[in-house]
Amino acid sequence: MILAVDIGNTNIKIGLFEESGKLRNSFKMSTDVKRTSDEYVALLLQLLSHSKIDEKSIKGAIVSSVIPQLDYTFTNVINYVFGVKPLIVGVGVKTGLAIRYDFPRELGSDRIITCVAASKQYGAPLILVDFGTATTYNVVNGRKEFIGGAITLGLKSTIESLADCTAKLPNVELETPKKVVAQSTGKAIQSGVIYGAVGQVKYMIDRIKSETGLYDAQVIATGGLSHIVNDVEPLFDHIDRELSLKGLYEIYTLNN
């Protein structure tokens, strides 16, 4: 099997792929730069044991990371547990996409791996909206060129920022209120953040299509919070929360 590790700002997603490309198991753990290699080894072995997976069955590994401090940590963890050297997604790694970006080294690997999977599974052109710690908009044209996108605060990050940057606004749960016009401060925050995000996504999709001329682009959503927006208004052709892991597997096979 092939191990795929997607290190994000909030969570680390781990996937195990069979040789056929089927995702057999996936796990998630919280991202913590203060954890030692030994702690991550213990967590990983516990997850494997719970799923009755023998670590000797892992024959290769690939890692995408937006936390540079954890690159070295996970390289050591994977080498220690599985005896393999992981492929790290970065400049020089084949992705199957041409990168049309002013400064490619600034481009987060998390944005690329999801676009790789989306273009492989659903075809291009596409607009991919990834709802994570940040919400990112990513555009791939019909020639499978990544041509850029946009970045803004994620849903949870927006609520946390309101609580951190104000004296009286509380930190509320990310739940959709029944009405836009709210009669309490908590529901007013939920309304502004969630309904505001829906409006933003709708506008951004329309603006991207008119700016690029990609009116036939499929709109794809990924990330754990994608369902919140889609439940308010169905704006997406596809929702696929496993795109990052699938993209990592595609890149691994392309480079091997």
Short mmCIF file of all heavy atoms in Angstrom, two decimals, residues 137-193:
data_model
loop_
_atom_site.label_atom_id
_atom_site.label_comp_id
_atom_site.label_asym_id
_atom_site.label_seq_id
_atom_site.Cartn_x
_atom_site.Cartn_y
_atom_site.Cartn_z
N TYR A 137 -9.73 29.55 -3.63
CA TYR A 137 -10.34 29.39 -4.95
C TYR A 137 -9.21 29.09 -5.92
O TYR A 137 -8.23 29.84 -6.00
CB TYR A 137 -11.08 30.66 -5.37
CG TYR A 137 -12.21 31.04 -4.45
CD1 TYR A 137 -11.96 31.80 -3.30
CD2 TYR A 137 -13.51 30.68 -4.72
CE1 TYR A 137 -12.98 32.15 -2.43
CE2 TYR A 137 -14.55 31.03 -3.86
CZ TYR A 137 -14.28 31.77 -2.72
OH TYR A 137 -15.30 32.12 -1.87
N ASN A 138 -9.33 28.00 -6.66
CA ASN A 138 -8.26 27.53 -7.53
C ASN A 138 -8.82 27.24 -8.91
O ASN A 138 -9.89 26.62 -9.03
CB ASN A 138 -7.61 26.28 -6.94
CG ASN A 138 -7.22 26.48 -5.49
OD1 ASN A 138 -6.26 27.16 -5.18
ND2 ASN A 138 -8.00 25.91 -4.56
N VAL A 139 -8.11 27.68 -9.95
CA VAL A 139 -8.64 27.60 -11.31
C VAL A 139 -7.68 26.82 -12.20
O VAL A 139 -6.47 27.11 -12.26
CB VAL A 139 -8.87 29.01 -11.89
CG1 VAL A 139 -9.59 28.91 -13.23
CG2 VAL A 139 -9.67 29.88 -10.92
N VAL A 140 -8.22 25.83 -12.90
CA VAL A 140 -7.48 25.05 -13.89
C VAL A 140 -8.20 25.18 -15.22
O VAL A 140 -9.41 24.94 -15.29
CB VAL A 140 -7.38 23.56 -13.48
CG1 VAL A 140 -6.67 22.75 -14.56
CG2 VAL A 140 -6.66 23.42 -12.15
N ASN A 141 -7.49 25.59 -16.27
CA ASN A 141 -8.14 25.76 -17.57
C ASN A 141 -8.19 24.44 -18.35
O ASN A 141 -7.75 23.39 -17.86
CB ASN A 141 -7.46 26.86 -18.39
CG ASN A 141 -6.01 26.53 -18.75
OD1 ASN A 141 -5.60 25.36 -18.74
ND2 ASN A 141 -5.24 27.55 -19.07
N GLY A 142 -8.73 24.50 -19.55
CA GLY A 142 -8.92 23.29 -20.35
C GLY A 142 -7.63 22.63 -20.80
O GLY A 142 -7.64 21.46 -21.20
N ARG A 143 -6.51 23.34 -20.73
CA ARG A 143 -5.20 22.77 -21.08
C ARG A 143 -4.49 22.20 -19.86
O ARG A 143 -3.30 21.91 -19.90
CB ARG A 143 -4.33 23.85 -21.74
CG ARG A 143 -4.87 24.36 -23.06
CD ARG A 143 -3.90 25.31 -23.73
NE ARG A 143 -3.71 26.53 -22.95
CZ ARG A 143 -4.50 27.58 -23.00
NH1 ARG A 143 -5.56 27.56 -23.80
NH2 ARG A 143 -4.25 28.66 -22.27
N LYS A 144 -5.23 22.06 -18.77
CA LYS A 144 -4.69 21.56 -17.49
C LYS A 144 -3.54 22.43 -16.99
O LYS A 144 -2.50 21.93 -16.55
CB LYS A 144 -4.28 20.10 -17.60
CG LYS A 144 -5.46 19.16 -17.73
CD LYS A 144 -5.11 17.71 -17.49
CE LYS A 144 -6.35 16.83 -17.46
NZ LYS A 144 -6.04 15.42 -17.18
N GLU A 145 -3.77 23.73 -17.07
CA GLU A 145 -2.84 24.70 -16.51
C GLU A 145 -3.47 25.33 -15.26
O GLU A 145 -4.60 25.81 -15.32
CB GLU A 145 -2.54 25.81 -17.52
CG GLU A 145 -1.85 25.32 -18.78
CD GLU A 145 -1.73 26.41 -19.83
OE1 GLU A 145 -2.64 27.27 -19.90
OE2 GLU A 145 -0.74 26.39 -20.58
N PHE A 146 -2.74 25.30 -14.16
CA PHE A 146 -3.18 26.00 -12.96
C PHE A 146 -2.89 27.47 -13.19
O PHE A 146 -1.74 27.88 -13.29
CB PHE A 146 -2.44 25.48 -11.73
CG PHE A 146 -2.82 26.18 -10.45
CD1 PHE A 146 -3.84 25.71 -9.65
CD2 PHE A 146 -2.16 27.35 -10.05
CE1 PHE A 146 -4.19 26.35 -8.47
CE2 PHE A 146 -2.51 28.00 -8.88
CZ PHE A 146 -3.53 27.50 -8.09
N ILE A 147 -3.94 28.30 -13.27
CA ILE A 147 -3.76 29.69 -13.65
C ILE A 147 -3.96 30.67 -12.50
O ILE A 147 -3.97 31.89 -12.71
CB ILE A 147 -4.67 30.07 -14.84
CG1 ILE A 147 -6.14 29.88 -14.48
CG2 ILE A 147 -4.29 29.26 -16.07
CD1 ILE A 147 -7.09 30.38 -15.56
N GLY A 148 -4.12 30.16 -11.27
CA GLY A 148 -4.21 31.04 -10.13
C GLY A 148 -5.50 30.88 -9.35
O GLY A 148 -6.20 29.88 -9.48
N GLY A 149 -5.82 31.89 -8.54
CA GLY A 149 -7.02 31.81 -7.73
C GLY A 149 -7.04 32.91 -6.68
O GLY A 149 -6.50 34.00 -6.88
N ALA A 150 -7.67 32.63 -5.57
CA ALA A 150 -7.83 33.62 -4.51
C ALA A 150 -7.83 32.91 -3.15
O ALA A 150 -8.13 31.71 -3.07
CB ALA A 150 -9.12 34.41 -4.70
N ILE A 151 -7.50 33.67 -2.10
CA ILE A 151 -7.44 33.12 -0.75
C ILE A 151 -8.14 34.08 0.20
O ILE A 151 -7.94 35.30 0.13
CB ILE A 151 -5.98 32.93 -0.28
CG1 ILE A 151 -5.21 32.04 -1.25
CG2 ILE A 151 -5.94 32.34 1.13
CD1 ILE A 151 -3.72 31.95 -0.95
N THR A 152 -8.94 33.53 1.10
CA THR A 152 -9.58 34.34 2.14
C THR A 152 -9.69 33.52 3.42
O THR A 152 -9.32 32.34 3.45
CB THR A 152 -10.97 34.83 1.67
OG1 THR A 152 -11.49 35.76 2.63
CG2 THR A 152 -11.94 33.67 1.51
N LEU A 153 -10.20 34.14 4.47
CA LEU A 153 -10.38 33.44 5.73
C LEU A 153 -11.39 32.29 5.60
O LEU A 153 -12.37 32.41 4.88
CB LEU A 153 -10.87 34.39 6.81
CG LEU A 153 -9.83 35.23 7.56
CD1 LEU A 153 -10.54 36.22 8.47
CD2 LEU A 153 -8.89 34.35 8.36
N GLY A 154 -11.15 31.22 6.32
CA GLY A 154 -12.11 30.13 6.37
C GLY A 154 -13.25 30.47 7.31
O GLY A 154 -13.21 31.46 8.04
N LEU A 155 -14.27 29.61 7.32
CA LEU A 155 -15.45 29.87 8.15
C LEU A 155 -15.10 29.88 9.64
O LEU A 155 -15.45 30.82 10.37
CB LEU A 155 -16.51 28.81 7.86
CG LEU A 155 -17.10 28.81 6.45
CD1 LEU A 155 -18.00 27.60 6.25
CD2 LEU A 155 -17.88 30.09 6.20
N LYS A 156 -14.42 28.85 10.10
CA LYS A 156 -14.05 28.80 11.52
C LYS A 156 -13.07 29.91 11.88
O LYS A 156 -13.15 30.51 12.95
CB LYS A 156 -13.45 27.44 11.87
CG LYS A 156 -14.47 26.33 12.06
CD LYS A 156 -13.81 25.06 12.57
CE LYS A 156 -14.84 23.96 12.82
NZ LYS A 156 -14.20 22.72 13.31
N SER A 157 -12.14 30.18 10.98
CA SER A 157 -11.15 31.23 11.23
C SER A 157 -11.81 32.59 11.37
O SER A 157 -11.38 33.43 12.17
CB SER A 157 -10.13 31.27 10.09
OG SER A 157 -9.47 30.03 9.95
N THR A 158 -12.88 32.83 10.59
CA THR A 158 -13.58 34.10 10.67
C THR A 158 -14.25 34.27 12.03
O THR A 158 -14.18 35.33 12.66
CB THR A 158 -14.64 34.20 9.55
OG1 THR A 158 -14.00 34.04 8.29
CG2 THR A 158 -15.34 35.54 9.58
N ILE A 159 -14.93 33.21 12.50
CA ILE A 159 -15.57 33.27 13.81
C ILE A 159 -14.54 33.48 14.91
O ILE A 159 -14.73 34.29 15.82
CB ILE A 159 -16.39 31.99 14.06
CG1 ILE A 159 -17.68 32.02 13.20
CG2 ILE A 159 -16.75 31.85 15.53
CD1 ILE A 159 -18.55 30.81 13.35
N GLU A 160 -13.43 32.76 14.84
CA GLU A 160 -12.38 32.90 15.85
C GLU A 160 -11.76 34.29 15.82
O GLU A 160 -11.45 34.87 16.88
CB GLU A 160 -11.32 31.83 15.63
CG GLU A 160 -11.80 30.42 15.96
CD GLU A 160 -10.85 29.34 15.48
OE1 GLU A 160 -9.81 29.70 14.85
OE2 GLU A 160 -11.14 28.15 15.71
N SER A 161 -11.61 34.86 14.63
CA SER A 161 -11.04 36.20 14.50
C SER A 161 -11.94 37.25 15.11
O SER A 161 -11.48 38.19 15.76
CB SER A 161 -10.78 36.53 13.02
OG SER A 161 -9.79 35.69 12.48
N LEU A 162 -13.26 37.10 14.92
CA LEU A 162 -14.21 38.03 15.52
C LEU A 162 -14.10 38.01 17.05
O LEU A 162 -14.12 39.05 17.71
CB LEU A 162 -15.63 37.69 15.09
CG LEU A 162 -16.04 38.08 13.67
CD1 LEU A 162 -17.41 37.48 13.32
CD2 LEU A 162 -16.09 39.60 13.53
N ALA A 163 -13.99 36.81 17.61
CA ALA A 163 -13.88 36.68 19.07
C ALA A 163 -12.55 37.23 19.58
O ALA A 163 -12.49 37.87 20.63
CB ALA A 163 -14.05 35.22 19.48
N ASP A 164 -11.47 37.00 18.83
CA ASP A 164 -10.13 37.42 19.27
C ASP A 164 -9.92 38.93 19.14
O ASP A 164 -9.18 39.52 19.92
CB ASP A 164 -9.05 36.69 18.46
CG ASP A 164 -8.98 35.20 18.78
OD1 ASP A 164 -9.50 34.81 19.84
OD2 ASP A 164 -8.41 34.45 17.97
N CYS A 165 -10.57 39.52 18.15
CA CYS A 165 -10.29 40.93 17.84
C CYS A 165 -11.31 41.91 18.39
O CYS A 165 -11.22 43.11 18.15
CB CYS A 165 -10.19 41.10 16.32
SG CYS A 165 -8.84 40.17 15.57
N THR A 166 -12.30 41.41 19.11
CA THR A 166 -13.31 42.29 19.70
C THR A 166 -13.43 42.00 21.19
O THR A 166 -13.06 40.93 21.67
CB THR A 166 -14.69 42.08 19.04
OG1 THR A 166 -15.10 40.72 19.21
CG2 THR A 166 -14.64 42.40 17.55
N ALA A 167 -14.00 42.97 21.91
CA ALA A 167 -14.09 42.83 23.37
C ALA A 167 -15.30 42.04 23.82
O ALA A 167 -15.26 41.36 24.84
CB ALA A 167 -14.11 44.22 24.00
N LYS A 168 -16.39 42.12 23.05
CA LYS A 168 -17.64 41.53 23.52
C LYS A 168 -18.20 40.39 22.66
O LYS A 168 -19.09 39.67 23.11
CB LYS A 168 -18.71 42.62 23.62
CG LYS A 168 -18.48 43.60 24.77
CD LYS A 168 -19.67 44.52 24.95
CE LYS A 168 -19.50 45.41 26.17
NZ LYS A 168 -20.69 46.28 26.39
N LEU A 169 -17.71 40.23 21.44
CA LEU A 169 -18.28 39.20 20.58
C LEU A 169 -17.80 37.82 21.01
O LEU A 169 -16.60 37.60 21.17
CB LEU A 169 -17.93 39.45 19.11
CG LEU A 169 -18.54 40.71 18.49
CD1 LEU A 169 -18.15 40.81 17.03
CD2 LEU A 169 -20.06 40.72 18.64
N PRO A 170 -18.73 36.88 21.21
CA PRO A 170 -18.35 35.54 21.68
C PRO A 170 -17.87 34.63 20.55
O PRO A 170 -18.12 34.90 19.36
CB PRO A 170 -19.66 35.01 22.27
CG PRO A 170 -20.72 35.66 21.42
CD PRO A 170 -20.20 37.03 21.09
N ASN A 171 -17.23 33.57 20.94
CA ASN A 171 -16.85 32.52 19.99
C ASN A 171 -18.01 31.53 19.93
O ASN A 171 -18.32 30.86 20.91
CB ASN A 171 -15.57 31.81 20.46
CG ASN A 171 -14.91 31.01 19.36
OD1 ASN A 171 -15.56 30.62 18.39
ND2 ASN A 171 -13.63 30.77 19.51
N VAL A 172 -18.67 31.43 18.79
CA VAL A 172 -19.89 30.63 18.68
C VAL A 172 -19.66 29.39 17.83
O VAL A 172 -18.66 29.27 17.12
CB VAL A 172 -21.05 31.46 18.07
CG1 VAL A 172 -21.37 32.66 18.95
CG2 VAL A 172 -20.70 31.91 16.65
N GLU A 173 -20.59 28.45 17.93
CA GLU A 173 -20.53 27.24 17.11
C GLU A 173 -20.84 27.59 15.66
O GLU A 173 -21.57 28.54 15.36
CB GLU A 173 -21.55 26.21 17.61
CG GLU A 173 -21.22 25.63 18.97
CD GLU A 173 -19.94 24.83 18.97
OE1 GLU A 173 -19.69 24.14 17.97
OE2 GLU A 173 -19.19 24.89 19.96
N LEU A 174 -20.27 26.79 14.76
CA LEU A 174 -20.49 27.02 13.33
C LEU A 174 -21.78 26.31 12.90
O LEU A 174 -21.76 25.22 12.34
CB LEU A 174 -19.29 26.50 12.53
CG LEU A 174 -19.14 26.98 11.09
CD1 LEU A 174 -19.09 28.50 11.02
CD2 LEU A 174 -17.88 26.40 10.48
N GLU A 175 -22.91 26.94 13.19
CA GLU A 175 -24.21 26.40 12.84
C GLU A 175 -24.99 27.42 12.03
O GLU A 175 -24.90 28.62 12.28
CB GLU A 175 -25.00 26.04 14.11
CG GLU A 175 -24.35 24.96 14.96
CD GLU A 175 -25.11 24.71 16.25
OE1 GLU A 175 -26.05 25.48 16.54
OE2 GLU A 175 -24.75 23.76 16.98
N THR A 176 -25.77 26.94 11.08
CA THR A 176 -26.53 27.83 10.20
C THR A 176 -27.84 28.23 10.85
O THR A 176 -28.68 27.36 11.12
CB THR A 176 -26.81 27.15 8.85
OG1 THR A 176 -25.58 26.71 8.27
CG2 THR A 176 -27.49 28.13 7.90
N PRO A 177 -28.06 29.51 11.11
CA PRO A 177 -29.33 29.95 11.70
C PRO A 177 -30.44 29.87 10.64
O PRO A 177 -30.18 29.87 9.44
CB PRO A 177 -29.06 31.39 12.12
CG PRO A 177 -27.98 31.85 11.20
CD PRO A 177 -27.13 30.64 10.92
N LYS A 178 -31.67 29.84 11.12
CA LYS A 178 -32.80 29.71 10.20
C LYS A 178 -33.05 30.99 9.41
O LYS A 178 -33.60 30.95 8.32
CB LYS A 178 -34.06 29.31 10.97
CG LYS A 178 -33.99 27.92 11.57
CD LYS A 178 -35.28 27.57 12.31
CE LYS A 178 -35.19 26.17 12.91
NZ LYS A 178 -36.43 25.80 13.65
N LYS A 179 -32.65 32.14 10.00
CA LYS A 179 -32.91 33.42 9.35
C LYS A 179 -31.63 34.24 9.25
O LYS A 179 -30.74 34.13 10.08
CB LYS A 179 -33.96 34.21 10.14
CG LYS A 179 -35.31 33.53 10.27
CD LYS A 179 -36.32 34.45 10.94
CE LYS A 179 -35.89 34.79 12.36
NZ LYS A 179 -36.89 35.68 13.04
N VAL A 180 -31.56 35.08 8.22
CA VAL A 180 -30.44 36.01 8.08
C VAL A 180 -30.53 37.10 9.15
O VAL A 180 -29.53 37.47 9.76
CB VAL A 180 -30.42 36.63 6.67
CG1 VAL A 180 -29.38 37.75 6.60
CG2 VAL A 180 -30.12 35.57 5.62
N VAL A 181 -31.74 37.61 9.37
CA VAL A 181 -31.94 38.66 10.37
C VAL A 181 -32.08 38.00 11.73
O VAL A 181 -33.10 37.38 12.05
CB VAL A 181 -33.18 39.51 10.04
CG1 VAL A 181 -33.37 40.60 11.09
CG2 VAL A 181 -33.06 40.13 8.66
N ALA A 182 -31.03 38.13 12.54
CA ALA A 182 -30.97 37.42 13.82
C ALA A 182 -31.34 38.33 14.99
O ALA A 182 -31.13 39.54 14.94
CB ALA A 182 -29.57 36.86 14.03
N GLN A 183 -31.87 37.72 16.05
CA GLN A 183 -32.28 38.46 17.23
C GLN A 183 -31.35 38.24 18.44
O GLN A 183 -31.70 38.58 19.55
CB GLN A 183 -33.72 38.09 17.62
CG GLN A 183 -34.80 38.85 16.85
CD GLN A 183 -34.97 38.32 15.44
OE1 GLN A 183 -35.08 37.12 15.23
NE2 GLN A 183 -34.98 39.22 14.47
N SER A 184 -30.20 37.64 18.20
CA SER A 184 -29.21 37.50 19.26
C SER A 184 -27.82 37.67 18.64
O SER A 184 -27.63 37.46 17.44
CB SER A 184 -29.31 36.13 19.94
OG SER A 184 -28.86 35.10 19.07
N THR A 185 -26.87 38.04 19.49
CA THR A 185 -25.52 38.30 18.98
C THR A 185 -24.88 37.04 18.40
O THR A 185 -24.25 37.06 17.35
CB THR A 185 -24.62 38.87 20.10
OG1 THR A 185 -25.19 40.09 20.56
CG2 THR A 185 -23.22 39.13 19.60
N GLY A 186 -25.09 35.91 19.11
CA GLY A 186 -24.51 34.65 18.63
C GLY A 186 -25.04 34.28 17.26
O GLY A 186 -24.27 33.93 16.35
N LYS A 187 -26.34 34.36 17.08
CA LYS A 187 -26.94 34.00 15.79
C LYS A 187 -26.61 35.05 14.72
O LYS A 187 -26.54 34.73 13.54
CB LYS A 187 -28.45 33.83 15.93
CG LYS A 187 -28.84 32.58 16.71
CD LYS A 187 -30.29 32.23 16.56
CE LYS A 187 -30.64 30.97 17.35
NZ LYS A 187 -29.87 29.80 16.89
N ALA A 188 -26.41 36.30 15.15
CA ALA A 188 -26.01 37.33 14.20
C ALA A 188 -24.63 37.03 13.62
O ALA A 188 -24.38 37.24 12.43
CB ALA A 188 -26.02 38.70 14.88
N ILE A 189 -23.72 36.54 14.48
CA ILE A 189 -22.39 36.14 14.00
C ILE A 189 -22.51 34.96 13.04
O ILE A 189 -21.90 34.96 11.96
CB ILE A 189 -21.48 35.79 15.20
CG1 ILE A 189 -21.21 37.03 16.04
CG2 ILE A 189 -20.17 35.17 14.71
CD1 ILE A 189 -20.50 36.74 17.34
N GLN A 190 -23.29 33.95 13.43
CA GLN A 190 -23.47 32.79 12.56
C GLN A 190 -24.06 33.21 11.21
O GLN A 190 -23.63 32.74 10.16
CB GLN A 190 -24.38 31.77 13.25
CG GLN A 190 -23.77 31.12 14.48
CD GLN A 190 -24.77 30.31 15.28
OE1 GLN A 190 -25.97 30.56 15.23
NE2 GLN A 190 -24.27 29.32 16.03
N SER A 191 -25.05 34.09 11.25
CA SER A 191 -25.69 34.56 10.02
C SER A 191 -24.69 35.28 9.13
O SER A 191 -24.58 35.00 7.93
CB SER A 191 -26.86 35.49 10.36
OG SER A 191 -27.37 36.09 9.18
N GLY A 192 -23.96 36.22 9.72
CA GLY A 192 -23.02 36.99 8.92
C GLY A 192 -21.92 36.14 8.31
O GLY A 192 -21.55 36.31 7.14
N VAL A 193 -21.40 35.21 9.11
CA VAL A 193 -20.29 34.38 8.63
C VAL A 193 -20.77 33.39 7.57
O VAL A 193 -20.17 33.28 6.49
CB VAL A 193 -19.62 33.64 9.81
CG1 VAL A 193 -18.62 32.60 9.30
CG2 VAL A 193 -18.93 34.64 10.72
#
